[in-house]
Amino acid sequence: MAFSGMSVKIAEFNHNKLNIDAQSFGKILDKAEQRPLAIVSVNGPMRSGKSYMLNHFLRYLQSKDNENWFNTTLEHVFHWQNSDERQTTGIVVWSEPFIIKRNGEEIAILLMDTQGCFDDKTTTHENSLIFALSCLLSSTLIYNIKNQIQEDVLQFLQMFVGFAKMGQQSEDPFSKLIFLIRDWQSPKCFNYGYYDNNVTSGHRNYKMEKLNTNRSMVPEVRIVRDEIMSSFLDVGCCLLPYPGSGLACEDDESKVDGMFVATTKDFVERLFDPSRIVTKSIGGHQLNGQYLKQIVNQWAKFFSSAELPEVKNVTEATAEVQNQIAYTIGYKFYRQEMDKLKSAVDDLSDTEFEEKHRQNSKEAVEIFKRMKRLRHPQVEEKFMKAMEDTIEQEIGRASCRERV
């Protein structure tokens, strides 16, 4: 099958910064015109089959009127290969939107491929940037992993999501997250197929048992899950079987295991079912190509900013970022309130002026406490002390009449 379109790189690294090609991406968004957008991205560790799965998405969307779409030729337009080298760098988007109809309304679908994380060429900071941009752009984010959901996977995901929230223009959760678990090895425990809170592929529900929290979980395990689950409006899982040695060893699509074909076919058709497709929205407003184009220009400045914090490790890095933001917002409030007193400074007694300091400092601390962030007592204590010390110095100067 000859595909109409090509993969276009819209973001890549340059000197440890993620540069967004807003012009190239804008040309793709122009093709969506005023239609609502559904952007499906695939993320996850390198060499886990992300690009291979995207080629199935592309094959289905190109021939979705054909019931035997899985039997058409699988083109390697999102490049994949059985090797230990990564195949995708930066972020790549298919150049042509796919138009489907839902209740008479046309929706434009874009497919996005991302650089695999956790290789020996990419820093944790760079991994976070790739995921953050993908998360901000996507209406459905697929996190592609092998074998099972492990605690380290969730911890890294928690960090990535926390970093992505820095670029949000609202406090709304992201739209949809799907864990696509490849090479599932325990079908007797959990059947192959899709799971969420409403759908189960067997007598046990993988999503509810592995991701939903309960009182028996230790606090650190529960906190990680709560943070991830609260960051998305909808979370699901799909368990796929091993595709077979024919594909793994020979790249021979004709030798793919029948169960893999059936499960993948069901997943892809479910993902792009017009009644289930998720469109992109920000702050409750559904986005079209033109609106997102404007926002991407702002994100391009954000990701190229020298002020973007360096990510170091998993939970502590995210907590550092979010507590730094909370500190900045709290202290900014304090300074703004004190600046308002400049015009009335000569009319206030020392006692009145110091009281204003204390009232505003108390509210600044309350603002800091109310800000949503990961729970990390040591990091929170550090930033709380920094705020209190900074404001205490201000109060000390005020007592000496060194006003604002």
Side-chain angles (χ1 to χ4, degrees), residues 196-223:
D196 60 18
N197 285 346
N198 303 310
V199 178
T200 179
S201 298
H203 63 284
R204 297 176 62 187
N205 188 310
Y206 184 86
K207 185 264 177 180
M208 295 182 71
E209 290 192 31
K210 299 299 181 181
L211 291 176
N212 291 8
T213 57
N214 57 68
R215 294 181 180 179
S216 65
M217 289 180 173
V218 296
E220 55 264 36
V221 171
R222 187 173 62 251
I223 288 170

Side-chain angles (χ1 to χ4, degrees), residues 35-51:
R35 301 179 182 95
L37 278 174
I39 303 180
V40 178
S41 71
V42 183
N43 302 256
M46 65 167 289
R47 311 308 307 127
S48 58
K50 298 184 301 299
S51 300

Side-chain angles (χ1 to χ4, degrees), residues 11-141:
E12 63 182 340
F13 285 107
N14 183 21
H15 301 298
N16 201 37
K17 292 181 181 179
L18 187 61
N19 292 334
I20 300 174
D21 187 345
Q23 183 176 6
S24 294
F25 193 30
K27 291 179 180 179
I28 299 173
L29 293 174
D30 283 340
K31 298 175 185 178
E33 299 177 339
Q34 299 300 317
R35 301 179 182 95
L37 278 174
I39 303 180
V40 178
S41 71
V42 183
N43 302 256
M46 65 167 289
R47 311 308 307 127
S48 58
K50 298 184 301 299
S51 300
Y52 173 72
M53 185 56 60
L54 272 159
N55 285 320
H56 286 302
F57 296 172
L58 190 60
R59 177 164 65 170
Y60 172 73
L61 291 169
Q62 287 275 14
S63 57
K64 56 184 173 59
D65 294 329
N66 181 356
E67 292 183 0
N68 296 316
W69 64 269
F70 205 98
N71 296 325
T72 59
T73 303
L74 181 66
E75 302 285 350
H76 293 205
V77 288
F78 286 105
H79 186 65
W80 67 276
Q81 180 180 347
N82 281 310
S83 75
D84 59 358
E85 294 295 324
R86 68 184 183 192
Q87 301 300 311
T88 304
T89 59
I91 295 179
V92 173
V93 173
W94 189 247
S95 63
E96 304 300 319
F98 296 94
I99 310 302
I100 65 170
K101 282 191 174 182
R102 179 175 63 189
N103 298 326
E105 180 185 38
E106 288 189 339
I107 294 172
I109 299 175
L110 293 178
L111 299 180
M112 180 183 299
D113 195 8
T114 63
Q115 175 178 320
C117 52
F118 312 130
D119 62 13
D120 58 359
K121 300 180 179 68
T122 312
T123 66
T124 302
H125 181 68
E126 291 171 338
N127 288 330
S128 299
L129 291 174
I130 287 286
F131 184 91
L133 180 56
S134 178
C135 198
L136 289 167
L137 289 171
S138 303
S139 58
T140 297
L141 188 146

Side-chain angles (χ1 to χ4, degrees), residues 312-325 327 368 373-387:
K312 306 165 191 174
N313 53 52
V314 187
T315 305
E316 184 176 356
T318 306
E320 287 270 357
V321 168
Q322 294 180 334
N323 276 276
Q324 177 66 59
I325 293 172
Y327 169 90
F368 175 87
R373 55 195 184 279
L374 297 183
R375 300 172 197 170
H376 195 298
Q378 292 87 352
V379 174
E380 184 173 333
E381 182 180 356
K382 180 180 76 172
F383 280 93
M384 175 69 80
K385 187 176 187 306
M387 173 173 281

Side-chain angles (χ1 to χ4, degrees), residues 357-371:
H357 268 278
R358 297 198 179 278
Q359 288 175 0
N360 291 328
S361 67
K362 182 179 179 181
E363 181 58 27
V365 170
E366 289 302 313
I367 290 172
F368 175 87
K369 291 178 178 179
R370 289 196 298 266
M371 291 288 292

